[in-house]
């Protein structure tokens, strides 16, 4: 970006490819030339990687920061920590039956006593070392973001245009938006949120955040345009918009009085020109 304060420009310059893009540490062909033995090694590695990946996701949700809860296949919001008992049920036999004394098995063993918050970084890295995948790379970046926002921006930036499956990309742009917000770069953050909307126009999260930032940027025209799109997508009683309202209310508590005054000025000017669903967000911002 041309802006010298662009979020991507603030990312650390240290090379990240040495581990972020590396392949697995243990290859089945390194263990045995016997096809059956190689299959067992590969299957075990993939199962272990999947357990570590899911544990990193649960760990993140033990201490998320202003993140909207995901929706299940039924459209209802859920908290990912609810998966922990089922995860333990799958991980316990893996630990009990394994003769492996590697750090990865030890990580699983420790998590059986409770997946701790802020352990997601090490869990995701362990999974990535076994089976490289862009989803796991996203979890590495996701767990980095609140303690290492510039590192998270660099990692998500590497994935933004090429992550597979492509369904990961809208959430990557949402995460880039949240990190630019964290760094106070609202124009960049809004651009990331709008990019997420372009990739997944049916999700209300990017639209809600873009609306919020348009208000804080003093851009009433953009706020009205985004509000109109939001109104086509979702109703004012939808649990996702109520969730976003609660999050924006909490985020508003971190802003300066001058920033809040600018947002309220925009909201006062457009309130009678926007759909009811956007007014839910307005009330959250100004309350």
């Amino acid at each position: 970006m041309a802006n010298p304060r662009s979020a991507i420009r603030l990312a650390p310059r240290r090379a990240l490819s040495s581990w972020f893009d590396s392949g697995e540490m243990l290859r089945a062909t390194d263990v045995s030339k016997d096809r059956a033995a190689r299959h067992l090694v590969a299957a075990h590695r993939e199962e272990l990687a999947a357990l570590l990946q899911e544990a990193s996701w649960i760990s993140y949700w033990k201490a998320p920061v202003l993140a909207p809860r995901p929706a299940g296949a039924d459209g209802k919001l859920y908290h990912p920590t609810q998966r922990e008992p089922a995860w333990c049920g799958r991980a316990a036999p893996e630990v009990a039956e394994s003769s492996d004394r590697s750090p990865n098995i030890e990580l699983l063993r420790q998590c059986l006593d409770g997946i701790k918050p802020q352990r997601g970084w090490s869990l995701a890295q362990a999974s990535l070392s076994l089976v490289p995948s862009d989803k796991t790379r996203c979890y590495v970046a996701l767990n980095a973001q609140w303690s290492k926002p510039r590192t998270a921006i660099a990692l998500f930036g590497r994935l933004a245009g090429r992550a597979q499956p492509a369904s990961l990309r809208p959430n990557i742009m949402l995460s880039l938006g949240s990190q630019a917000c964290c760094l106070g770069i609202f124009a960049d953050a809004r651009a990331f949120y709008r990019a997420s909307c372009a990739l997944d126009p049916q999700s209300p999260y990017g639209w809600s955040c873009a609306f919020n930032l348009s208000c804080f940027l003093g851009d009433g025209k953009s706020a009205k345009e985004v509000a109109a799109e939001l109104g086509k997508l979702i109703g004012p009683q939808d649990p996702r918009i109520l969730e976003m309202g609660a999050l924006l209310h909490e985020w508003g508590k971190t802003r300066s009085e001058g920033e809040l005054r600018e947002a309220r000025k925009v909201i006062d000017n457009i309130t009678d020109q926007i759909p009811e669903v956007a007014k839910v967000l307005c009330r959250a911002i100004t309350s």
Side-chain angles (χ1 to χ4, degrees):
M1 297 180 183
N3 179 3
R5 295 190 67 245
S6 163
I8 295 297
R9 289 178 180 269
L10 289 175
R13 297 186 180 184
R14 178 175 61 84
L16 297 164
S17 59
S18 60
W19 62 271
F20 192 64
D21 292 326
S22 63
E24 65 269 21
M25 291 171 56
L26 176 65
R27 298 179 186 275
T29 53
D30 295 335
V31 177
S32 173
K33 295 189 180 299
D34 178 78
R35 181 178 298 178
R38 290 202 305 269
H39 172 74
L40 288 172
V41 170
H44 172 76
R45 185 180 64 223
E46 290 172 3
E47 184 176 353
L48 179 56
L51 287 167
L52 289 164
Q53 183 196 79
E54 186 173 0
S56 75
W57 176 238
I58 294 170
S59 174
Y60 169 77
W61 282 98
K62 289 286 184 83
V65 181
L66 300 179
R69 287 175 295 162
D74 58 0
K76 296 180 179 179
L77 299 178
Y78 72 94
H79 205 288
T81 54
Q82 295 169 351
R83 297 180 177 182
E84 188 169 4
W87 179 89
C88 287
R90 294 194 304 276
E94 181 75 17
V95 171
E97 295 170 7
S98 178
S99 58
D100 189 349
R101 291 296 177 262
S102 70
N104 293 331
I105 290 293
E106 183 56 31
L107 267 178
L108 283 185
R109 184 174 290 108
Q110 293 170 7
C111 288
L112 289 176
D113 294 327
I115 299 174
K116 294 181 180 179
Q118 301 179 0
R119 289 291 301 276
W121 169 274
S122 59
L123 288 162
Q125 280 187 301
S127 178
L128 191 63
S129 74
L130 294 168
V131 178
S133 80
D134 286 343
K135 184 175 182 179
T136 307
R137 292 183 177 103
C138 285
Y139 287 176
V140 171
L142 188 69
N143 280 281
Q145 60 184 340
W146 301 116
S147 59
K148 305 179 184 73
R150 289 175 174 81
T151 297
I153 284 174
L155 300 183
F156 279 126
R158 290 174 68 85
L159 287 165
R162 53 94 163 170
Q164 293 296 331
S167 58
L168 293 170
R169 297 176 194 173
N171 285 330
I172 289 171
M173 301 311 295
L174 288 177
S175 292
L176 281 167
S178 71
Q179 288 316 289
C181 249
C182 178
L183 295 172
I185 312 170
F186 292 169
D188 278 7
R190 183 174 64 173
F192 288 132
Y193 287 130
R194 292 300 297 262
S196 178
C197 295
L199 292 168
D200 185 8
Q202 297 304 307
S203 170
Y205 299 128
W207 296 112
S208 297
C209 292
F211 174 80
N212 175 60
L213 289 180
S214 291
C215 294
F216 276 87
L217 287 165
D219 189 348
K221 181 175 182 293
S222 177
K224 285 194 294 182
E225 291 171 352
V226 175
E229 293 299 323
L230 194 59
K232 298 174 188 175
L233 178 65
I234 194 171
Q237 296 305 314
D238 190 293
R240 293 171 295 173
I241 207 67
L242 299 178
E243 174 96 342
M244 284 304 305
L247 291 176
L248 293 180
H249 176 71
E250 290 302 310
W251 182 78
K253 294 178 182 179
T254 70
R255 311 323 306 164
S256 70
E257 187 53 43
E259 290 171 328
L260 289 167
R261 190 161 49 245
E262 185 68 39
R264 290 180 183 126
K265 187 188 305 182
V266 170
I267 288 170
D268 288 344
N269 289 334
I270 67 172
T271 296
D272 60 349
Q273 305 170 55
I274 57 177
E276 188 61 36
V277 64
K279 294 178 184 179
V280 173
L281 301 181
C282 291
R283 289 191 288 271
I285 296 167
T286 57
S287 62

